[in-house]
Amino acid sequence: MNILIIGTGAIGGFYGSLLAKQGATVSVLARSDYAQVRAHGIHIRSAVPAVGDYHFRPARVVRSALELDEKPDYVLLCVKVVAGADRAALLKDALGPATRIVLVSNGVEIEDEIAAAYPDHALISGLAFICVTRTAPGEIWHQAYGRLALGDYPRGVSPATLALCQAFEGSGIPCATSEDVVGARWQKCVWNAAFSPLSVLSGGLDTHAILDTAEPLVRAIMAETILISNALGHPLPTDMVEKQVSSTRKMPPYKTSMLLDHEAGRPMETEAILGNAVRAGQRLGLDVPHLATLYGLMRLVEARAASH
Amino acid sequence: MNILIIGTGAIGGFYGSLLAKQGATVSVLARSDYAQVRAHGIHIRSAVPAVGDYHFRPARVVRSALELDEKPDYVLLCVKVVAGADRAALLKDALGPATRIVLVSNGVEIEDEIAAAYPDHALISGLAFICVTRTAPGEIWHQAYGRLALGDYPRGVSPATLALCQAFEGSGIPCATSEDVVGARWQKCVWNAAFSPLSVLSGGLDTHAILDTAEPLVRAIMAETILISNALGHPLPTDMVEKQVSSTRKMPPYKTSMLLDHEAGRPMETEAILGNAVRAGQRLGLDVPHLATLYGLMRLVEARAASH
């Protein structure tokens, strides 16, 4: 199995390393980390014993997919969906006639742009449930979790998707296929649409502090997100709000990745999570004022950050 | 006319000084600024030529109203309405049988607490449209505007209110009476409920930057505030949103006083502006999700500030 990872941040480096460890031929297309990764590969440290500490030496480290001798079976696009990023352009030189595109990123309704640009390619949509950070060029720290969910876009599980999932077997990290990966995105978005902007807009509160002061607001945001998902034909269980609130209370308090991005001055996934949710709601004629307010505020925070 | 000012911040010091300049006997009850004001009075510098630069030497500077030889005709309570402040207690020792209570502060529905505590006293509600700051103990800088609106609570204009208004004549600052001062509060709140929280939650944007990025959100918040005011029997003109947006664009860009409070680590008027508006909306059975979202977020910002 021949794989190209585009983006050697935490997500791309980590999942690429797992596939390599299990025997796949994994090359990486690197940008800012190119020199370091080319010379030394990527070092992974994990708090999960089944994953452990190890070194990932990619088959090839390239700056452009044109440098590769053959086109990959799968290209994993592991870049954040942020305003101004041209994801379709990143894929252009990597695709052979049979190459499957795999999107591993947060957010909802992030597939259409790629499906429209490459209508003849199989498109696999992926969600990572993980705490992982890039601590330095070529250094990845895996703190917790890691489950990957993969499914065909817009729906179903093809043999190629199943095969990719199976390639993770034995890596210490579970990969599950999803017949309705779009619904899985909405399900993840229910949590993200509430906690991610609230952590940023509050000025840096963790998940528990948010619930202690604003649980009714968290619930109202979750309910609106569920409303959209249901209207789109991806029904979510009615007790989902209850479950997400109580499981968040049971988990240790933590800062969302959107907050960490904001504090580090990196772009945030505002459009992928909130912007796309609000646009979906409006397209469907739904009233989503809590989400719309958060989206407007996050755009103000981004305007403020851009003016500094 | 014998007047006691409670609170020698920017608002109390400024309006008290105007009344003294026009011939009233004005004493002040000071807390943190007591020593400075007792020894040196208050110095006012104004960017408005008709006001000018001058010195205000109060008739008496006291720490407690019990130190006064006689009860005042009017007591002006010039403190911000913030969570945890017991405003009724501040008035307790200042009231003789004929003393009128004058509230000069921001927010909506801030009168009931005082009316309930002192049902036998005339209650005058006042709104200041002004940019004024206390730059140091005993130092006030008047940047712009200054119009004061006074009316009886809950409605009407009594001779005593008119007399207080007339006492400002010649001071360089206009005072107008309002037959519906509660409606005037809601009218001011339409602007405040939008720009004040947005300036804080955006991380510090001025009025123009807010409009450049989030004008639809500003309009939605204003519309909800108007909805509440109308339901309470204080109808606001339908083109008010339009007028407030265009007048804010015409004024120079500026930071709201709530943002200045937040940046200086002072308590914010969240409850007086947003909390009371949301509670009024809920009491009336109105749907005010934009205001509710902002209120929840502002409470998170306050929780974050309190944890530092």
Side-chain angles (χ1 to χ4, degrees):
Chain A
M1 189 180 279
N2 190 337
I3 288 166
L4 174 66
I5 306 285
I6 299 185
T8 50
I11 295 283
F14 181 71
Y15 288 105
S17 76
L18 294 177
L19 290 167
K21 205 164 59 158
Q22 299 314 110
T25 302
V26 181
S27 296
V28 304
L29 189 153
R31 289 174 292 181
S32 57
D33 293 4
Y34 174 78
Q36 172 72 26
V37 174
R38 171 128 197 170
H40 306 289
I42 297 174
H43 194 79
I44 288 95
R45 287 180 307 127
S46 175
V48 174
V51 177
D53 289 10
Y54 59 100
H55 204 79
F56 166 40
R57 176 70 71 171
R60 297 283 307 273
V61 179
V62 297
R63 281 180 193 274
S64 157
L66 296 174
E67 298 171 42
L68 296 171
D69 302 319
E70 52 184 298
K71 297 298 184 190
D73 302 315
Y74 300 86
V75 54
L76 272 64
L77 186 62
C78 301
V79 298
K80 286 200 168 176
V81 182
V82 296
D86 186 347
R87 295 182 298 138
L90 290 173
L91 289 164
K92 190 167 119 331
D93 299 325
L95 303 178
T99 303
R100 293 95 177 179
I101 302 170
V102 187
L103 306 178
V104 184
S105 48
N106 252 322
V108 290
E109 308 213 325
I110 61 152
E111 299 97 341
D112 255 5
E113 178 189 342
I114 305 298
Y118 304 106
D120 300 332
H121 288 265
L123 182 55
I124 302 170
S125 191
L127 281 168
F129 298 84
I130 190 168
C131 292
V132 64
T133 47
R134 172 184 162 286
T135 50
E139 300 280 340
I140 289 175
W141 165 229
H142 173 224
Q143 292 156 270
Y145 312 108
R147 180 168 64 89
L148 194 65
L150 297 178
D152 297 345
Y153 181 78
R155 189 175 272 277
V157 177
S158 66
T161 302
L162 187 60
L164 180 60
C165 225
Q166 286 169 339
F168 284 94
E169 248 176 53
S171 71
I173 289 295
C175 180
T177 56
S178 169
E179 287 287 336
D180 179 18
V181 72
V182 170
R185 282 198 179 280
W186 280 101
Q187 182 155 0
K188 190 177 185 193
C189 188
V190 170
W191 192 96
N192 263 331
F195 285 97
S196 296
L198 264 48
S199 66
V200 172
L201 294 166
S202 67
L205 290 180
D206 65 39
T207 47
H208 284 200
I210 290 169
L211 282 176
D212 288 346
T213 300
E215 188 181 316
L217 179 57
V218 166
R219 287 172 176 266
I221 299 161
M222 288 181 167
E224 278 183 8
T225 313
I226 290 171
L227 193 72
I228 302 170
S229 185
N230 290 348
L232 284 168
H234 307 285
L236 293 172
T238 48
D239 62 349
M240 195 184 160
V241 170
E242 204 57 48
K243 281 193 176 157
Q244 294 224 354
V245 167
S246 70
S247 72
T248 304
R249 282 206 191 274
K250 276 175 210 141
M251 279 172 22
Y254 79 98
K255 289 181 160 195
T256 67
S257 64
M258 188 180 274
L259 174 58
L260 298 177
D261 283 342
H262 182 54
E263 290 181 343
R266 294 187 295 257
M268 293 181 283
E269 298 172 315
T270 303
E271 294 303 329
I273 294 171
L274 279 174
N276 288 351
V278 168
R279 283 182 283 270
Q282 287 169 345
R283 197 176 69 228
L284 293 158
L286 299 172
D287 195 29
V288 290
H290 292 87
L291 289 170
T293 304
L294 295 176
Y295 178 45
L297 286 166
M298 286 301 301
R299 293 196 61 221
L300 287 174
V301 169
E302 290 179 328
R304 169 71 174 164
S307 73
H308 267 52
Chain B
M1 189 178 283
N2 191 335
I3 288 167
L4 173 66
I5 306 286
I6 298 184
T8 50
I11 295 283
F14 182 72
Y15 288 105
S17 76
L18 293 176
L19 289 167
K21 203 163 65 160
Q22 298 316 110
T25 302
V26 181
S27 297
V28 304
L29 189 153
R31 289 173 293 180
S32 58
D33 291 6
Y34 175 78
Q36 171 72 28
V37 173
R38 170 129 199 171
H40 306 289
I42 297 175
H43 194 79
I44 288 94
R45 288 180 308 126
S46 175
V48 174
V51 177
D53 289 10
Y54 59 99
H55 204 77
F56 166 39
R57 176 70 72 170
R60 295 284 306 275
V61 179
V62 297
R63 281 181 194 274
S64 157
L66 296 175
E67 298 171 42
L68 296 172
D69 302 320
E70 52 184 299
K71 298 300 184 188
D73 301 316
Y74 300 86
V75 54
L76 272 65
L77 185 62
C78 301
V79 297
K80 287 200 167 175
V81 182
V82 296
D86 186 348
R87 295 183 299 137
L90 290 173
L91 289 165
K92 190 166 118 335
D93 300 324
L95 304 178
T99 303
R100 294 95 176 177
I101 302 170
V102 187
L103 306 178
V104 183
S105 49
N106 252 323
V108 289
E109 309 215 324
I110 62 150
E111 299 97 341
D112 255 5
E113 179 189 342
I114 306 299
Y118 304 107
D120 299 331
H121 287 265
L123 182 56
I124 302 170
S125 191
L127 281 167
F129 298 84
I130 189 166
C131 292
V132 64
T133 47
R134 172 184 163 287
T135 50
E139 300 279 341
I140 289 174
W141 166 229
H142 174 223
Q143 292 156 271
Y145 313 107
R147 181 168 64 88
L148 193 65
L150 297 179
D152 297 345
Y153 181 78
R155 189 175 273 278
V157 176
S158 66
T161 302
L162 187 61
L164 180 60
C165 224
Q166 286 169 339
F168 285 95
E169 248 177 54
S171 71
I173 289 295
C175 180
T177 55
S178 169
E179 288 286 337
D180 179 18
V181 71
V182 171
R185 280 198 180 280
W186 279 101
Q187 181 155 1
K188 191 176 185 194
C189 188
V190 169
W191 193 95
N192 263 330
F195 285 97
S196 296
L198 264 49
S199 66
V200 171
L201 293 166
S202 67
L205 290 180
D206 65 41
T207 48
H208 285 200
I210 289 170
L211 282 176
D212 288 346
T213 300
E215 188 179 316
L217 179 56
V218 167
R219 287 173 177 266
I221 299 162
M222 288 182 166
E224 279 183 5
T225 313
I226 290 171
L227 193 72
I228 302 169
S229 185
N230 290 348
L232 284 168
H234 307 283
L236 293 172
T238 48
D239 63 348
M240 195 183 160
V241 169
E242 205 56 48
K243 280 194 176 155
Q244 294 224 353
V245 167
S246 70
S247 72
T248 303
R249 282 207 191 274
K250 275 176 210 141
M251 278 171 23
Y254 79 97
K255 289 182 161 194
T256 67
S257 64
M258 188 180 273
L259 174 57
L260 298 176
D261 283 341
H262 182 54
E263 290 181 342
R266 294 187 294 258
M268 294 181 283
E269 298 173 315
T270 303
E271 295 302 329
I273 294 171
L274 280 174
N276 288 350
V278 167
R279 282 183 283 270
Q282 288 168 344
R283 196 174 70 227
L284 294 158
L286 299 172
D287 196 29
V288 290
H290 292 87
L291 290 170
T293 304
L294 294 176
Y295 177 46
L297 286 167
M298 286 301 300
R299 292 197 61 222
L300 287 174
V301 169
E302 290 179 327
R304 169 71 173 162
S307 73
H308 266 52

